[in-house]
Amino acid sequence: MTTRNLPIYQIDAFSDVLFAGNPAAVVPLSTWLPDDVLQKIAMENNLSETAFFVPITAGNADFHIRWFTPTVEVPLCGHATLASAYVIFNQLGFEGDIVRLQSKSGILTARRYLDAIVLDFPKQPIVPETLADDVIAALGGDTPVETFGVASRDTDLVAVYDDAAIVRSMTPDMSLLAKLADRGVIVTAPGDKTGLDMISRYFVPAIGINEDPVTGYMHCVIAPYWADKLGQDDVVGYQASARGGVVACKVIGDRVHLTGEAVLYLKGEITVPA
């Protein structure tokens, strides 16, 4: 079998130290590989997301970006976009301070800001939706004070609790949750420490990720909710996974700016069919 080597990076996103935040694999490409090969690379990496991008020489973007979990392609991913921007800025010699990324969710931008990167993402509106009793039971049985569905992803659910301790200590039945929720369940509560406006976690066993460590997309869902509740545009979230991570958010109309740092963990090569 003829093979070729490709560069690969693993970045800890939404963290300023190693072994925290959310790890993402980033594979820069000159041209697209077949979709089944992209999916197999993501499965082999076995991280919550692997990002691939190719350069664009014309139009209103610099790169075309796509994201894959170990089992499916997804339309939007924050931490793997942050990781990709980090690679573009710090490993590939990109000279500008803003990189434009064409995606299934439209044009996304990433901007250098001191030691961090600011992502400009689309707001993800929510609509009231009743959670089935068996989904609440699979989450642990505590009754949420409000429940929603994500309008753009009709299989994502949101459960709002009045106590951050419920969210922090939650131990869902992942095998059951995978059967009951086609995609993911976001749980959130008010912040419980100085400087934190919201606490959250994101469970997605249905697509091969029991719990995503730190999720940019999810903050495009909950930041507008908490900004409205608190009457302020700027909100800071802590995703209370085992690795944990802080995401600073600013809601501007139908966009959400997500600010986070990233660090390089791994740089190497992978071998794929030619």
Side-chain angles (χ1 to χ4, degrees):
M1 180 178 68
T2 305
T3 61
R4 59 171 162 158
N5 293 337
L6 296 172
I8 189 170
Y9 303 85
Q10 187 168 319
I11 307 297
D12 288 342
F14 291 115
S15 175
D16 61 353
V17 296
L18 287 167
F19 313 123
N22 199 350
V26 178
V27 181
L29 301 170
S30 56
T31 59
W32 286 115
L33 300 171
D35 286 4
D36 67 318
V37 176
L38 298 177
Q39 187 62 74
K40 287 175 181 177
I41 293 171
M43 180 176 63
E44 190 81 2
N45 290 338
N46 199 33
L47 296 169
S48 61
E49 306 283 350
T50 296
F52 303 89
F53 57 79
V54 300
I56 297 174
T57 56
N60 58 352
D62 303 297
F63 297 91
H64 181 197
I65 190 168
R66 297 169 68 184
W67 312 273
F68 289 76
T69 79
T71 59
V72 298
E73 182 176 6
V74 296
L76 185 65
C77 177
H79 83 280
T81 303
L82 180 64
S84 297
Y86 177 91
V87 169
I88 291 168
F89 286 141
N90 297 288
Q91 299 294 319
L92 302 186
F94 188 84
E95 294 183 354
D97 288 331
I98 298 178
V99 61
R100 303 164 301 168
L101 304 165
Q102 176 185 315
S103 77
K104 288 189 174 182
S105 295
I107 298 295
L108 313 173
T109 65
R111 172 172 54 90
R112 302 182 204 249
Y113 176 70
L114 301 177
D115 293 329
I117 293 172
V118 180
L119 304 177
D120 183 343
F121 270 33
K123 176 181 175 181
Q124 303 293 303
I126 55 177
V127 294
E129 182 174 334
T130 301
L131 265 65
D133 290 343
D134 50 4
V135 172
I136 293 173
L139 289 171
D142 290 288
T143 301
V145 294
E146 291 184 277
T147 57
F148 302 92
V150 180
S152 63
R153 298 186 179 192
D154 60 8
T155 53
D156 265 9
L157 304 171
V158 182
V160 181
Y161 296 87
D162 58 5
D163 186 352
I166 295 173
V167 171
R168 287 183 180 273
S169 63
M170 191 173 284
T171 55
D173 183 331
M174 295 297 183
S175 60
L176 181 57
L177 198 61
K179 299 174 184 176
L180 298 174
D182 291 343
R183 193 173 185 280
V185 180
I186 297 165
V187 296
T188 187
D192 57 352
K193 293 184 178 180
T194 301
L196 296 180
D197 297 300
M198 53 195 178
I199 300 292
S200 64
R201 293 171 71 185
Y202 186 35
F203 308 116
V204 275
I207 60 170
I209 311 161
N210 279 350
E211 180 171 3
D212 199 34
V214 190
T215 315
Y217 149 75
M218 184 196 70
H219 284 84
C220 295
V221 176
I222 63 170
Y225 171 87
W226 287 112
D228 182 63
K229 283 280 187 184
L230 298 172
Q232 59 196 56
D233 295 332
D234 293 278
V235 287
V236 177
Y238 179 71
Q239 194 155 338
S241 65
R243 292 174 67 98
V246 174
V247 183
C249 310
K250 185 178 186 67
V251 181
I252 305 173
D254 63 355
R255 308 293 292 183
V256 180
H257 290 185
L258 309 172
T259 301
E261 296 187 46
V263 290
L264 173 68
Y265 169 68
L266 175 151
K267 178 167 62 174
E269 289 185 337
I270 58 174
T271 302
V272 301

